[in-house]
Amino acid sequence: MNHPVHRFYAALEARAWTEVAALLAPDMIYELPQSRERISGRADYVAFNVAYPGAWHLSVERVVGSGSEQAVWLTVTTGADVATNLAWLTLDDAGLITRLVDFWPQPSEPPPHRPPYVERGWHLGHQ
Amino acid sequence: MNHPVHRFYAALEARAWTEVAALLAPDMIYELPQSRERISGRADYVAFNVAYPGAWHLSVERVVGSGSEQAVWLTVTTGADVATNLAWLTLDDAGLITRLVDFWPQPSEPPPHRPPYVERGWHLGHQ
């Protein structure tokens, strides 16, 4: 739990906004490449999360990385909705988050003509 | 380039199938959580890639991880189509890939009522 990535997501889940802000560099950048959206600065990033609709809950599935580059796989549950969140974090020397790039891959149907050895229907699981 | 992850994607890009197979554990599992598809075993995984339609080209943007857990961010270009691929790899003690979980997040529109400090329209970039 001393890992800044774990502390960050635990603070988000707890809506511990002061702690969330304390783990972010003041000029951090938040990016959503799929929708080409960006937020600049921790004040707006925290405000975005404070205002975010829905009773969402985060569960960290995997954290990989070393030093300043980390990748995180999360499950985000909002009522009956279960989403996957893949986040790429950059940390500075003090362990503060300077960049957070968030992906939200959605369920999809396979393309036609998959080969027969492609099994289908297992449940989306994190491990 | 000695990193097994870099060697793996370079071999895929080169269609160097013998080299691709040599970097995989025989009983590796390939998973596509978004479509709930799975391929079991390197023979079928290699066959899947050999048969995959389109003149795709891979470009590794970021590799993060340490030891047996790695996360990779790639850009995959097929003609005019530019896609993002996020892969989570598990390696065994010999550096062979035992599990590869592939996500393909698609472009999306933002939900309505985004706050005004969310900028829009920057180009999807890897860095």
Side-chain angles (χ1 to χ4, degrees):
Chain A
M1 248 332 245
N2 259 340
H3 193 296
V5 171
H6 286 286
R7 285 167 53 209
F8 174 68
Y9 284 105
L12 269 184
E13 171 63 18
R15 277 70 169 165
W17 304 119
T18 304
E19 168 78 355
V20 169
L23 292 164
L24 301 169
D27 58 351
M28 66 88 68
I29 300 285
Y30 176 69
E31 293 175 331
L32 289 159
Q34 291 167 273
S35 55
R36 296 181 294 115
E37 294 179 283
R38 177 162 51 187
I39 297 171
S40 300
R42 74 176 167 202
D44 285 343
Y45 173 75
V46 172
F48 180 75
N49 279 279
V50 169
Y52 206 91
W56 47 266
H57 292 284
L58 308 174
S59 170
V60 174
E61 308 292 359
R62 286 206 224 177
V63 177
V64 310
S66 60
S68 65
E69 299 289 332
Q70 304 281 333
V72 190
W73 178 344
L74 300 110
T75 298
V76 181
T77 304
T78 309
D81 182 68
V82 180
T84 295
N85 176 211
L86 304 177
W88 294 72
L89 286 79
T90 307
L91 310 179
D92 66 15
D93 291 344
L96 299 180
I97 296 164
T98 59
R99 189 154 177 251
L100 200 178
V101 186
D102 240 2
F103 290 95
W104 296 85
Q106 296 293 308
S108 65
E109 286 301 303
H113 312 302
R114 283 295 208 203
Y117 49 77
V118 181
E119 296 173 78
R120 182 115 206 270
W122 61 284
H123 288 287
L124 190 148
H126 56 88
Q127 300 297 343
Chain B
M1 242 345 239
N2 260 340
H3 193 297
V5 171
H6 286 285
R7 286 167 51 208
F8 174 67
Y9 284 105
L12 269 183
E13 171 63 18
R15 278 71 170 166
W17 304 118
T18 304
E19 169 78 355
V20 168
L23 293 164
L24 301 168
D27 57 351
M28 64 89 68
I29 301 285
Y30 175 70
E31 293 175 332
L32 290 159
Q34 290 167 273
S35 55
R36 297 181 294 114
E37 294 179 282
R38 178 162 50 186
I39 296 172
S40 301
R42 74 175 166 202
D44 285 344
Y45 173 74
V46 172
F48 180 75
N49 280 280
V50 168
Y52 206 90
W56 47 267
H57 292 284
L58 309 174
S59 172
V60 173
E61 308 292 0
R62 287 206 225 178
V63 177
V64 310
S66 60
S68 66
E69 299 288 333
Q70 304 282 333
V72 190
W73 178 343
L74 300 109
T75 298
V76 181
T77 305
T78 309
D81 183 68
V82 180
T84 295
N85 175 212
L86 304 177
W88 293 72
L89 286 79
T90 307
L91 309 180
D92 66 15
D93 291 343
L96 299 180
I97 296 164
T98 60
R99 188 155 177 251
L100 200 179
V101 186
D102 241 1
F103 290 95
W104 296 84
Q106 296 293 308
S108 65
E109 287 300 304
H113 311 304
R114 284 296 208 203
Y117 50 75
V118 182
E119 296 173 78
R120 181 114 206 269
W122 62 284
H123 288 287
L124 189 149
H126 56 89
Q127 299 298 342

